[in-house]
Amino acid sequence: MTVQKEHASPDVAGLNIRPVTREDLPALEWDGLFWKYRPMYARLFNNTQAGRTLMWLAEIKGELVGQVFVMLKSGEKDAADGENRAYVFAFRVKEKWRNRGIGSCLMDFVEQDLHQRGFQFITLNVAKDNPEALRLYKRLGYKVTGSKAGIWSFKDPHGKVHRVNEPAWRMMKRLR
Ligand SMILES: CC(C)(COP(=O)(O)OP(=O)(O)OC[C@H]1O[C@@H](n2cnc3c(N)ncnc32)[C@H](O)[C@@H]1OP(=O)(O)O)[C@@H](O)C(=O)NCCC(=O)NCCS
């Protein structure tokens, strides 16, 4: 399935948003920048096959310019419960493509998609030291609902465990 999406205002032509395929996984490492997430991305991709996760990418003329992932169901029911709440994460746009409306377009796309799937709320965490993203989410209608310790860990391709300590705001938006 390929989803063509022209948002009302992105300052770019030919933006295409579509599901990540297995062949896209190397490109999601962003030329080595996110190499460390390879095992996690492989696991997330398997979760897409099981219907627990959605992985979307934005491309322009075949070049990956951004991405956003969605957890439909997780152990943390406050974040994603499989029917009412879904959790957005790994939302990013390549630096040279920022501030042209691509991020807003990706979020708008995800909101419409989740609404069609019957979800009523979107949740997300934004790091407390990321005021730019916080401003963008507020502009898009997300409200801070709590504070999270933001402690999690992942294994890199060498099996080394990385512990992340990123205090965050939990935000939420009701879909209409
Ligand atoms: C957060 C992030 C995904 C936003 O992506 P983006 O493509 O720059 O987002 P947009 O262009 O839609 O919005 C950014 C700003 O550009 C403005 N903008 C510029 N041109 C625009 C246009 N044509 N249409 C809409 N907005 C435009 C927006 O108003 C917005 O302003 P704001 O920050 O005051 O709200 C991107 O900055 C990023 O990847 N950051 C690093 C990773 C990150 O922090 N991710 C969030 C983790 S919680």
Side-chain angles (χ1 to χ4, degrees):
M1 173 181 58
T2 294
V3 185
Q4 292 285 341
K5 173 75 180 143
E6 292 294 339
H7 189 263
S9 63
D11 189 18
V12 289
L15 184 67
N16 180 41
I17 299 176
R18 64 167 175 83
V20 166
T21 65
R22 195 177 291 282
E23 290 68 38
D24 294 317
L25 291 179
L28 293 183
E29 295 182 16
W30 290 32
D31 302 319
L33 198 58
F34 298 113
W35 161 89
K36 59 189 178 183
Y37 293 150
R38 187 180 301 163
M40 183 170 73
Y41 283 3
R43 202 177 61 246
L44 287 170
F45 185 77
N46 288 339
N47 286 346
T48 65
Q49 312 296 289
R52 293 172 68 92
T53 304
L54 305 170
M55 297 170 86
W56 299 107
L57 65 74
E59 63 186 1
I60 293 173
K61 291 186 192 152
E63 178 191 349
L64 184 146
V65 296
Q67 65 178 59
V68 61
F69 302 165
V70 183
M71 205 174 285
L72 300 176
K73 197 169 183 180
S74 93
E76 199 197 330
K77 297 269 179 295
D78 272 4
D81 64 5
E83 47 183 323
N84 285 313
R85 286 165 187 245
Y87 177 79
V88 163
F89 65 108
F91 169 49
R92 58 180 83 102
V93 168
K94 285 198 173 169
E95 205 156 345
K96 72 170 179 171
W97 291 99
R98 288 180 194 164
N99 298 317
R100 301 183 195 200
I102 295 173
S104 304
C105 194
L106 266 168
M107 290 300 290
D108 183 58
F109 176 88
V110 161
E111 288 173 15
Q112 289 184 33
D113 175 69
L114 288 172
H115 190 244
Q116 277 168 17
R117 290 172 196 262
F119 284 80
Q120 293 182 46
F121 298 96
I122 295 194
T123 64
L124 57 85
N125 282 0
V126 56
K128 290 184 178 174
D129 63 2
N130 191 351
E132 291 83 12
L134 180 68
R135 191 178 61 231
L136 182 140
Y137 292 136
K138 282 187 172 165
R139 183 171 54 76
L140 296 178
Y142 290 77
K143 302 254 185 313
V144 172
T145 57
S147 182
K148 295 281 166 186
I151 295 171
W152 58 286
S153 56
F154 66 91
K155 257 188 203 169
D156 72 19
H158 293 318
K160 185 178 166 200
V161 177
H162 297 253
R163 198 172 152 84
V164 181
N165 189 343
E166 200 172 59
W169 299 116
R170 167 62 52 83
M171 300 189 87
M172 190 160 83
K173 177 173 177 177
R174 187 187 190 105
L175 298 174
R176 295 180 200 282

